[in-house]
Amino acid sequence: MNTRTRTVLAAALVLGIAAGPAVPASALGAAPSVTATTAYDPPDTEALRAVIAGLPDDGATAALVRLSGSDGSWRGSSGVHDLRTNRPADPDARFRAGSVTKVFTAATVLQLAAERKVGLDRPVRDYLPEDVPAAYGKVTVRQLLNHTSGLPSPDFPGSTTEDYYANRFHVFSPREMVASATAKKELFPAGTRQNYSNIGYTVAGLLIEKVTGHSYESEVTRRILKPLGLHGTSLPGTDPRIHGPHNHGYQKLVRADGTTVLRDASVWSVTDGWAAGDIISTSADLEHFIRALFSGEVVRGPLLEEMFTLPDASVRDYSTGGPAAYSVGLTSWKLGGRQIWGKTGGRWGYNAGIGSARDLSRTLVYSINSTDAKGRNTNAVVMNLIVTAFGEPSRD
């Protein structure tokens, strides 16, 4: 991979680093049929093995990979369960999926829109007048979900990895985070730019609770986890532990003398992410989820297309000036000459991702136990895995 290609893909990935039956199908429209039309060569299993070989190393301690599609499938794992025993990584382990949570949150809001409980073009303040001040009165629900709201990020205690580690058991309140963000000046007028951040999905979590009268966690569980049988997936709330089998995640920290040390990051509160980034899952569950989602089993009818529709071409990325890359819940990449949709995520000790061609002719799910999962640079195993699975990014 040349330097420019690596830079393009890294920039696209690093930002990924937050009761009752569902509405009947007849009310949502028929689920679309998905026919595999994208021509892929059979998986290059030797290349895939090579990408995750040699773990643990300085950048990662374990890797879990599932690749599937019309041309065949491959499962792989490498590395260790933990650095104390060095026993092999559990291929069925649970892991923190980070911002992959946003896909579940967006799908839940779209279900509420299908039930006419939420209007995507209505101001969020109509639903949350106590949380969204008049200064942000024009921000719509859709703008929360496609990162065009202009909302700034809230303040957090500390600014370094070492600070975050020291505060790893701090419990953040969603409402306090929203209040911190909305007390600031907007980054840009709503709908004019795109800026990837967690805050829109924190507001979306509050919206789900307000509209349904139930907790965010119970609604996602009722609407998505239980119907799909995602038994290895959970929303931890204030619990900092990963319950069930899991491979330990480690975070590289800098000592006072400038040397580095690895700390076990497996037990770490994720309340700062909440509806934007707290989900725990397995590679099998996420593979089932993305196939069901793209097939129309989770969000049905025209509203599913919101997840595959980018903002108008006039909307540019706030930081880079490049084209908008985020739809409602998903990210779009051009890889191997094809458009790939999915989501990446990063929590301390863990990088995760899901991605697929729209027609499900190739899907990829991975969990990489990165030692700098939220760093400025994309983990090399993640980058090489995505390119091996889908091809190099467009140079356009």
Side-chain angles (χ1 to χ4, degrees), residues 35-394:
T35 303
T37 58
T38 304
Y40 276 105
D41 293 329
D44 187 340
T45 57
E46 290 305 313
L48 290 165
R49 288 192 188 95
V51 169
I52 63 172
L55 301 183
D57 62 16
D58 184 59
T61 59
L64 310 178
V65 182
R66 298 176 75 92
L67 186 145
S68 64
S70 57
D71 54 332
S73 62
W74 183 79
R75 309 285 181 265
S77 65
S78 68
V80 296
H81 167 268
D82 66 275
L83 294 177
R84 183 180 61 84
T85 67
N86 284 320
R87 75 175 191 259
D90 181 350
D92 300 316
R94 298 175 184 182
F95 51 83
R96 299 195 189 281
S99 286
V100 174
T101 308
K102 292 181 175 71
V103 190
F104 289 79
T105 302
T108 300
V109 175
L110 289 174
Q111 285 191 7
L112 292 170
E115 297 163 15
R116 303 186 188 282
K117 295 176 181 176
V118 169
L120 294 182
D121 293 314
R122 280 189 65 181
V124 183
R125 184 171 159 79
D126 287 358
Y127 304 99
L128 296 168
E130 67 278 21
D131 296 302
V132 179
Y136 288 96
K138 294 183 179 180
V139 174
T140 68
V141 175
R142 180 185 281 106
Q143 289 164 350
L144 289 179
L145 300 177
N146 69 9
H147 304 283
T148 61
S149 69
L151 282 164
S153 296
D155 294 323
F156 293 102
S159 59
T160 67
T161 304
E162 291 68 36
D163 293 334
Y164 299 138
Y165 182 76
N167 286 287
R168 65 191 182 279
F169 297 126
H170 183 87
V171 175
F172 293 88
S173 158
R175 283 197 156 80
E176 289 175 359
M177 289 191 288
V178 172
S180 172
T182 57
K184 303 176 186 179
K185 179 179 171 54
E186 66 183 6
L187 297 178
F188 47 79
T192 63
R193 294 287 184 272
Q194 188 172 74
N195 182 65
Y196 181 86
S197 70
N198 284 347
I199 190 61
Y201 279 76
T202 302
V203 179
L206 294 175
L207 172 67
I208 290 168
E209 294 192 333
K210 183 62 176 287
V211 168
T212 65
H214 303 130
S215 72
Y216 162 78
E217 292 83 1
S218 66
E219 282 298 304
V220 174
T221 299
R222 179 180 74 85
R223 292 170 174 275
I224 300 175
L225 306 191
K226 284 187 176 179
L228 293 183
L230 305 183
H231 302 300
T233 303
S234 61
L235 298 150
T238 58
D239 190 340
R241 296 184 178 276
I242 302 174
H243 294 277
H246 61 280
N247 300 316
H248 288 229
Y250 295 86
Q251 175 60 43
K252 195 178 297 182
L253 300 176
V254 180
R255 295 189 179 102
D257 63 3
T259 59
T260 60
V261 62
L262 283 182
R263 299 293 188 198
D264 194 320
S266 308
V267 181
W268 196 309
S269 172
V270 290
T271 54
D272 62 311
W274 193 49
D278 73 350
I279 210 163
I280 293 167
S281 194
T282 68
S283 60
D285 273 10
L286 290 183
E287 183 179 71
H288 182 43
F289 172 64
I290 193 172
R291 297 190 71 84
L293 179 70
F294 282 31
S295 297
E297 297 174 33
V298 180
V299 179
R300 297 180 178 174
L303 284 168
L304 177 60
E305 293 309 308
E306 295 285 345
M307 305 192 88
F308 301 100
T309 304
L310 296 173
D312 183 87
S314 65
V315 176
R316 312 294 288 183
D317 184 89
Y318 175 67
S319 299
T320 68
Y326 303 98
S327 64
V328 170
L330 297 176
T331 310
S332 174
W333 302 277
K334 192 70 174 293
L335 298 169
R338 307 170 178 91
Q339 191 168 25
I340 302 300
W341 297 89
K343 192 73 192 72
T344 61
R347 294 298 308 181
W348 309 108
Y350 299 89
N351 280 127
I354 59 176
S356 180
R358 176 69 179 90
D359 60 12
L360 294 170
S361 53
R362 173 157 293 178
T363 66
L364 172 69
V365 175
Y366 65 81
S367 169
I368 309 298
N369 291 42
S370 304
T371 58
D372 192 17
K374 294 175 76 67
R376 289 181 176 274
N377 298 316
T378 303
N379 181 275
V381 177
V382 172
M383 183 178 298
N384 292 329
L385 181 61
I386 291 172
V387 169
T388 301
F390 292 116
E392 294 193 353
S394 169

